[in-house]
Amino acid sequence: MFEKIIILDFGSQTTQLIGRRLRELGEYCEIVPYNKFPEKTDHIKGVILSGSPYSVHDPQAFQIDLTAFRGKYPVLAIGYGAQYITHVSGGKVQADNTREYKESNFSFIDQTDRLLKNISENSQIWLSHSDLIEKLPENFSCIASTSNIEHVAFRIDDENIWGIQFHPEACCTQDGLILLENFLDICGCSRNWSPALFIESTIAELKQQLGNDKVVLGLSGGVDSSVAAVLLHKAIGKNLSCIFVDHGLLRKNEFRNVLNDYKHLGLNVIGVEAQERFYKALAGVTDPEEKRKIIGHGFVEVFDEEAQKIKDVKWLAQGTIYPDIIESQSTTGMVIKSHHNVGGLPDKMKLKLCEPLRLLFKDEVRRVGVELGMMSHLIKRHPFPGPGLGVRILGEITPEKVHILQEADDIFIKGLRDWNLYDRVWQAGAILLPVQSVGITDGKRTYENAVALRAVTSIDAMTADWSHLPHEFLMKISTDIINNVKGINRVVYDISSKPPATIEWE
């Protein structure tokens, strides 16, 4: 079991980024809902309270019992967390109807304070707030200010509790990592989390969890399920059976190519062709959430049927990773989108669930894969959604639309490889739009489909920027798609970042 920092999530959009920064600093951490402080407190070294979309004065603002951790662990309260502690301790928090996002600089900083050690006096910080701390309680001390905010950071006298009204996790905060490092030092963290340690610990945990039980794993061809398969194979060997389902929504030739890739891993892989089953279930469905659920339920049903063909199987393993869980479950009750790996198993399924990568971000999964010695092209493969092209065909899914999109997507992905752009991009793909437009082919009027190209850069998929691909490349790909894919006469490029957009359109 790793030592860890617990991050209590009050619903901030940057809560996950706090976790990423701590992992980058070599410290394991877990993000939990604000009201779910762990009952088992072994190995906890400190607590961080996140920001929130709410004001402390809102009737629906999140309330917590601080006694669960106050006086027991060092605490760093960020944004709402800092304002909440001030508010419930007798200080004055002023409500501001205008939410403010801006950069600022320290005008005063107490560099003798342990949290602010080695931080520059005029260091730039990133502010995001709708409340401001106007007056601190008597036993609180101000340790930093800006020209406009008197109490931008404070500590509680005689307690290991600090509050800040800026975001150390944001790249715009100049010395944010130094501040987080200082907090880890205050907590006495060893900062020894690494892929090698994760592999050693996870294999040991899997052996203990699974014993001699048999496990089926749902392979998708992506890095997540592949790394999960290798970890399980090292832990339980021949007791692992892998199932790779072709739901008819894979990329062009993906089913055959992926089965060939898995040969070098020594895995027992069962390929299942179930295209018609999924097409039938999806007929007439246009709602994106409904499509995701149908595909997800279909996966589970196929796994269940195949598992029953293997004697004495007790577990279903999945390549679920942290962003899947975070986007599917929200402190504020708002789900961004459901993931087919998240949400549990139907009652009729008599298999228990095993998710060895559940608490890893995507880049960490890749680092684990490298440490495991997996082939480079498997590790560097772009993420691909579990529902496949089902969430890249906007509107109803038909076999004809799948074929059109597969051809366009294949030209795009091959082009990225040929132009040595593939490894510069986090994720890329084509999206078939529910739009037809007028065009001209061979001097004749056409009325055909439009396709959007999407390519983003990212670290862990929690945030992403659109890729600034060369204009010459985009022109070449557009021409190749229109000239070679019957049914498409218009190509557009998506220049939206996440947030506010998501990487996938559905």
Side-chain angles (χ1 to χ4, degrees):
M1 177 66 70
F2 307 116
E3 68 172 36
K4 58 191 173 185
I5 298 293
I6 293 297
I7 302 172
L8 294 181
D9 180 17
F10 288 88
S12 169
Q13 290 183 336
T14 64
T15 301
Q16 294 78 32
L17 193 53
I18 300 170
R20 285 294 303 117
R21 295 292 182 250
L22 296 188
R23 299 275 187 95
E24 289 170 11
L25 293 170
E27 184 63 19
Y28 182 72
C29 62
E30 292 183 9
I31 299 170
V32 300
Y34 71 97
N35 57 352
K36 300 292 184 183
F37 192 79
E39 294 182 4
K40 295 183 179 180
T41 58
D42 295 344
H43 309 290
I44 295 176
K45 304 293 287 186
V47 179
I48 293 179
L49 311 185
S50 83
S52 173
Y54 294 122
S55 160
V56 296
H57 300 289
D58 288 341
Q60 66 268 44
F62 299 130
Q63 309 287 323
I64 61 169
D65 180 7
L66 298 175
T67 60
F69 49 84
R70 186 169 182 173
K72 301 173 184 177
Y73 311 99
V75 175
L76 174 62
I78 299 174
Y80 176 88
Q83 293 151 6
Y84 180 80
I85 288 180
T86 300
H87 181 63
V88 300
S89 300
K92 185 176 181 181
V93 178
Q94 178 181 351
D96 186 349
N97 293 327
T98 303
R99 178 168 285 277
E100 187 175 31
Y101 302 88
K102 69 175 184 178
E103 296 175 359
S104 187
N105 296 83
F106 290 125
S107 59
F108 156 73
I109 182 170
D110 180 0
Q111 292 178 310
T112 65
D113 187 89
R114 289 185 292 166
L115 186 69
L116 304 181
K117 179 183 177 182
N118 296 326
I119 294 180
S120 304
E121 290 186 7
N122 197 38
S123 183
Q124 179 178 281
I125 57 175
W126 177 252
L127 301 166
S128 169
H129 59 264
S130 58
D131 284 347
L132 284 176
I133 297 173
E134 185 174 297
K135 181 180 179 181
L136 293 172
E138 291 184 2
N139 60 330
F140 287 42
S141 297
C142 177
I143 58 174
S145 305
T146 70
S147 58
N148 295 319
I149 303 175
E150 182 179 1
H151 309 299
V152 79
F154 65 80
R155 69 168 174 263
I156 301 181
D157 300 339
D158 301 321
E159 291 190 59
N160 281 334
I161 298 180
W162 287 262
I164 58 177
Q165 294 193 93
F166 59 93
H167 292 280
E169 72 278 10
C171 60
C172 298
T173 295
Q174 183 178 337
D175 293 328
L177 284 181
I178 295 176
L179 185 147
L180 292 175
E181 280 187 292
N182 289 341
F183 181 67
L184 295 180
D185 289 341
I186 289 169
C187 294
C189 295
S190 58
R191 293 169 57 184
N192 61 356
W193 190 94
S194 68
L197 182 63
F198 173 82
I199 292 169
E200 179 184 352
S201 174
T202 301
I203 290 175
E205 290 176 5
L206 288 171
K207 287 180 177 179
Q208 182 177 10
Q209 178 188 25
L210 304 173
N212 292 320
D213 291 350
K214 290 186 178 180
V215 180
V216 288
L217 168 70
L219 286 173
S220 69
V223 62
D224 302 334
S225 62
S226 300
V227 171
V230 175
L231 280 171
L232 282 159
H233 184 66
K234 288 184 175 294
I236 63 173
K238 63 182 181 181
N239 282 340
L240 172 67
S241 296
C242 301
I243 298 172
F244 180 42
V245 177
D246 183 0
H247 49 26
L249 302 168
L250 300 173
R251 284 181 157 139
K252 183 179 179 180
N253 299 325
E254 188 84 350
F255 186 64
R256 182 188 64 204
N257 294 338
V258 168
L259 288 177
N260 288 335
D261 281 342
Y262 284 133
K263 288 180 180 179
H264 90 286
L265 298 175
L267 301 175
N268 174 30
V269 182
I270 302 167
V272 182
E273 299 185 64
Q275 301 96 318
E276 296 305 320
R277 176 174 180 163
F278 282 87
Y279 290 156
K280 182 178 179 180
L282 290 164
V285 178
T286 60
D287 180 76
E289 271 296 287
E290 186 65 20
K291 288 195 290 187
R292 283 179 173 272
K293 289 176 181 177
I294 288 171
I295 296 167
H297 292 159
F299 262 115
V300 173
E301 288 175 359
V302 172
F303 291 156
D304 189 28
E305 292 169 7
E306 292 299 320
Q308 290 181 26
K309 299 175 185 178
I310 306 169
K311 188 177 179 181
D312 298 328
V313 170
K314 295 184 178 179
W315 296 83
L316 172 66
Q318 295 185 147
T320 311
I321 63 172
Y322 219 1
D324 297 341
I325 296 168
I326 291 166
E327 288 193 336
S328 296
Q329 301 171 359
S330 170
T331 295
T332 60
M334 297 177 62
V335 174
I336 298 173
K337 59 188 177 184
S338 65
H339 292 260
H340 76 280
N341 275 358
V342 180
L345 304 175
D347 293 337
K348 70 174 183 177
M349 196 170 198
K350 298 179 181 179
L351 301 180
K352 293 178 283 186
L353 190 60
C354 176
E355 298 171 312
L357 307 180
R358 185 179 179 86
L359 295 177
L360 292 190
F361 290 93
K362 176 72 75 172
D363 62 315
E364 294 173 323
V365 176
R366 287 199 170 106
R367 290 167 60 197
V368 168
V370 170
E371 188 74 22
L372 288 167
M374 296 173 63
M375 288 192 303
S376 176
H377 77 272
L378 269 179
I379 300 303
K380 293 182 179 179
R381 188 191 296 268
H382 286 177
F384 189 64
L389 301 182
V391 292
R392 293 183 180 177
I393 297 173
L394 275 58
E396 183 181 5
I397 297 168
T398 66
E400 180 186 10
K401 289 181 179 179
V402 172
H403 174 72
I404 291 173
L405 185 55
Q406 283 178 333
E407 295 297 325
D409 179 82
D410 189 57
I411 291 172
F412 185 30
I413 299 302
K414 283 184 177 178
L416 288 171
R417 294 187 187 278
D418 292 343
W419 284 59
N420 295 318
L421 296 170
Y422 187 86
D423 290 341
R424 287 172 45 186
V425 172
W426 166 268
Q427 186 169 342
I431 300 96
L432 188 64
L433 305 181
V435 173
Q436 291 185 309
S437 66
V438 174
I440 300 174
T441 301
D442 298 328
K444 297 179 181 179
R445 179 185 184 275
T446 62
Y447 192 59
E448 295 180 323
N449 298 286
V451 69
L453 304 182
R454 178 72 157 147
V456 299
T457 57
S458 183
I459 294 175
D460 51 37
M462 298 313 305
T463 60
D465 294 321
W466 62 277
S467 297
H468 293 244
L469 298 176
H471 291 176
E472 296 80 6
F473 168 77
L474 291 173
M475 181 175 65
K476 176 71 164 58
I477 296 301
S478 175
T479 301
D480 288 349
I481 289 175
I482 293 172
N483 287 345
N484 293 284
V485 183
K486 185 178 180 181
I488 294 176
N489 68 357
R490 190 175 300 272
V491 176
V492 299
Y493 188 55
D494 183 350
I495 58 170
S496 308
S497 294
K498 176 185 179 180
T502 53
I503 295 176
E504 298 293 343
W505 280 42
E506 289 192 340

